[in-house]
Amino acid sequence: MAKRIFQKPRGTRDILPVEQKYFKYVQNIFETVAEDAGFRKITTPTFEDSKLFMRGVGKEAELTKEMYVFEDKSANSLALRPEGTAPIVRAYLEDGMQSLPQPVNLYYFSNFFRYERPQAGRYRELWQFGLEVIGDKSPLVDANIVATVWRMYKKLNLTDISIQINSIGCGICRPKYVKLLKKYYQGKLAKVCADCKKRYKVNPLRLLDCKNEKCLEIQKEAPQMINNLCSACHDHFKTVLEYVDELEIDYVLNPKIVRGLDYYTGTVFEVWNAKDGAQNSLGGGGRYDLLVELLGGNKTPAMGFGVGVDRTIEEMEKEAIVFEQDKNVNIFVAQLGSKARKKCFKLLNDLLDAGIGAEARFDKGGIGDQLKIASKLGVEYTLLIGQREAFDGTVIIKDMASGNQEVFPYEKIVKVMRKRLGR
Ligand code: HAM
């Protein structure tokens, strides 16, 4: 019988060592930018009570329908987290963060799960870096999140991006606007796509971000939320834009940015790749002033943003962004003969104990084979112990670039290598 090789579940991927360097780099940049701006890291469980998302994100939201829901052995209905904002609000309430000085600024780097139709840049397990500010209603918070996200991309040298911003109003002005929008679409329902017919009933705002050609035509004349904001929402949004202008950050006012999750209110924005547009947004977020109350807390304003890490890395690869990598291994330890092998094993561990990265291949006997591996690894130095060195208690340092060789007593080698590698 042929041996079976298992395959990863559809829509997931293995992040191989060649891509890990991007993940490490991006995570480091994002976390440094966030920490510098006073955000602190939070990690929540990979799965939560499924009702948290039903209530927080909305029963009818596409995201809730894409959830991986399962029952555990105690018949609890759990969901693999499809997003990070509802769990963080849950933690804010459950872990007593309301009694900390407000606002509470949090960030996360986590994986999320969505049963979507897989395609380029769309996975069933995805990674996001998110920022959340809970407990501050000031429009400066919105502007500050835009600025922080912009800074994160600038630090990555990703320049071919655009910020698309809008306001979707509050509990007072949005229902009035939705009525207006439905009235506009009423006589045109025969002409819209099947999805929009559904959207008309369950989530009319999403009529505005349909990409179907027929629907795009109808959208052109549709009333816009931005012209129907109440005075509080209008003033808030105007201030956000004034502060973003102050930092000379480019943005596009886009009335079609409505976001897919029910919890958003007021300012919403997305980051797009300038070429692909909305097709695969690099990130999205906005205000969610009603979510804390909806999940059982006191009325508490909040604002946040989620960057899609997978798509950001794909964008870096596309733009051929070059970056300095930390090089951990600069030394290869090579041996000839069984006595030397034991000494090399000790040398390798002495180097590692001293915090100096080093590698060896003890299954290889020939010095030629070992030197070939050393040059493939791109190390700066190979340390050699043959039969004579094992007997003398010495080590040969071979500089791989020049080919020069020098002999040192074993006891001095860690100190010498530390100096040469500037550690
Ligand atoms: P979201 O727009 O659903 O927002 O996701 C944010 C980003 O995650 C997207 O812009 C995209 O880059 C990435 N993303 C989403 N789905 C996938 C997928 N299937 N494959 C690859 N990447 C994907 C949220 O999740 C909100 N919780 C963001 C937020 C934080 N709002 C306020 N605070």
Side-chain angles (χ1 to χ4, degrees), residues 63 66 82-86 108 112 114 116 121-128 130-132 153 259-261 263-264 270-271 280-288 303-312:
L63 187 63
E66 291 163 0
E83 64 95 49
T85 309
Y108 51 93
F112 298 98
R114 301 181 178 185
E116 293 197 76
R122 195 191 284 162
Y123 306 103
R124 288 183 175 170
E125 181 180 20
L126 60 124
W127 290 82
Q128 273 185 22
L131 299 166
E132 312 290 351
Y153 280 105
R259 310 284 299 135
L261 322 178
Y263 52 60
Y264 289 111
E270 291 185 1
V271 173
N280 268 343
S281 68
L282 293 172
R287 269 212 166 263
Y288 50 95
M303 163 93 195
F305 193 83
V307 175
V309 174
D310 313 85
R311 291 182 192 175
T312 299

Side-chain angles (χ1 to χ4, degrees), residues 1-156:
M1 207 168 71
K3 281 191 202 159
R4 178 177 174 207
I5 296 179
F6 286 98
Q7 291 185 333
K8 55 192 170 294
R10 195 163 124 77
T12 65
R13 63 207 185 99
D14 299 315
I15 303 165
L16 299 172
V18 284
E19 221 182 341
Q20 291 292 349
K21 63 182 183 206
Y22 282 96
F23 266 76
K24 192 172 170 195
Y25 179 71
V26 167
Q27 180 170 7
N28 184 27
I29 297 253
F30 285 179
E31 295 198 353
T32 306
V33 171
E35 293 264 350
D36 284 352
F39 288 82
R40 294 293 170 260
K41 189 165 188 170
I42 182 165
T43 305
T44 59
T46 308
F47 53 86
E48 297 268 358
D49 184 333
S50 60
K51 288 197 275 309
L52 171 68
F53 301 107
M54 299 285 186
R55 172 125 24 117
V57 176
K59 243 193 232 150
E60 293 301 335
E62 268 161 51
L63 187 63
T64 322
K65 298 195 175 128
E66 291 163 0
M67 271 195 316
Y68 284 86
V69 181
F70 61 98
E71 246 186 31
D72 69 7
K73 290 184 179 170
S74 311
N76 297 308
S77 173
L78 300 169
L80 293 182
R81 57 182 173 203
E83 64 95 49
T85 309
I88 283 174
V89 170
R90 194 258 318 125
Y92 172 85
L93 294 171
E94 188 178 351
D95 300 326
M97 287 186 248
Q98 312 97 296
S99 48
L100 297 175
Q102 304 291 301
V104 176
N105 295 355
L106 300 167
Y107 76 86
Y108 51 93
F109 189 97
S110 313
N111 50 347
F112 298 98
F113 306 87
R114 301 181 178 185
Y115 190 80
E116 293 197 76
R117 201 160 49 80
Q119 60 184 56
R122 195 191 284 162
Y123 306 103
R124 288 183 175 170
E125 181 180 20
L126 60 124
W127 290 82
Q128 273 185 22
F129 178 85
L131 299 166
E132 312 290 351
V133 177
I134 309 181
D136 191 333
K137 63 179 187 328
S138 165
L140 271 71
V141 168
D142 310 21
N144 203 35
I145 295 251
V146 173
T148 310
V149 169
W150 184 248
R151 189 173 306 120
M152 280 165 33
Y153 280 105
K154 257 198 326 203
K155 293 256 176 200
L156 288 182

Side-chain angles (χ1 to χ4, degrees), residues 265-333:
T265 51
T267 313
V268 285
F269 77 105
E270 291 185 1
V271 173
W272 289 2
N273 159 321
K275 280 187 223 96
D276 295 355
Q279 209 57 41
N280 268 343
S281 68
L282 293 172
R287 269 212 166 263
Y288 50 95
D289 287 346
L290 308 176
L291 184 60
V292 178
E293 203 179 1
L294 190 69
L295 294 179
N298 294 330
K299 202 162 188 275
T300 311
M303 163 93 195
F305 193 83
V307 175
V309 174
D310 313 85
R311 291 182 192 175
T312 299
I313 288 174
E314 281 161 16
E315 189 60 24
M316 288 173 71
E317 288 168 334
K318 246 191 261 165
E319 288 194 30
I321 304 276
V322 182
F323 56 88
E324 276 279 315
Q325 276 174 257
D326 299 343
K327 195 151 183 255
N328 292 331
V329 178
N330 270 311
I331 295 177
F332 189 83
V333 177

Side-chain angles (χ1 to χ4, degrees), residues 111-225:
N111 50 347
F112 298 98
F113 306 87
R114 301 181 178 185
Y115 190 80
E116 293 197 76
R117 201 160 49 80
Q119 60 184 56
R122 195 191 284 162
Y123 306 103
R124 288 183 175 170
E125 181 180 20
L126 60 124
W127 290 82
Q128 273 185 22
F129 178 85
L131 299 166
E132 312 290 351
V133 177
I134 309 181
D136 191 333
K137 63 179 187 328
S138 165
L140 271 71
V141 168
D142 310 21
N144 203 35
I145 295 251
V146 173
T148 310
V149 169
W150 184 248
R151 189 173 306 120
M152 280 165 33
Y153 280 105
K154 257 198 326 203
K155 293 256 176 200
L156 288 182
N157 281 328
L158 272 182
T159 46
D160 215 6
I161 57 160
S162 82
I163 290 188
Q164 309 276 322
I165 195 164
N166 189 24
S167 171
I168 55 168
C170 65
I172 296 168
C173 54
R174 194 175 345 153
K176 288 186 197 156
Y177 166 71
V178 168
K179 256 191 203 159
L180 212 64
L181 186 67
K182 284 185 90 167
K183 198 164 158 212
Y184 169 80
Y185 269 89
Q186 217 164 30
K188 303 175 177 65
L189 282 176
K191 294 187 204 144
V192 299
C193 72
D195 281 343
C196 277
K197 287 194 177 80
K198 263 188 248 155
R199 288 182 182 125
Y200 178 84
K201 283 195 196 126
V202 282
N203 195 352
L205 274 191
R206 300 227 62 182
L207 287 163
L208 296 174
D209 72 351
C210 179
K211 317 280 180 314
N212 183 301
E213 255 173 53
K214 283 189 298 187
C215 302
L216 282 171
E217 207 44 49
I218 296 170
Q219 280 167 20
K220 279 186 192 157
E221 302 293 322
Q224 294 185 0
M225 182 73 240

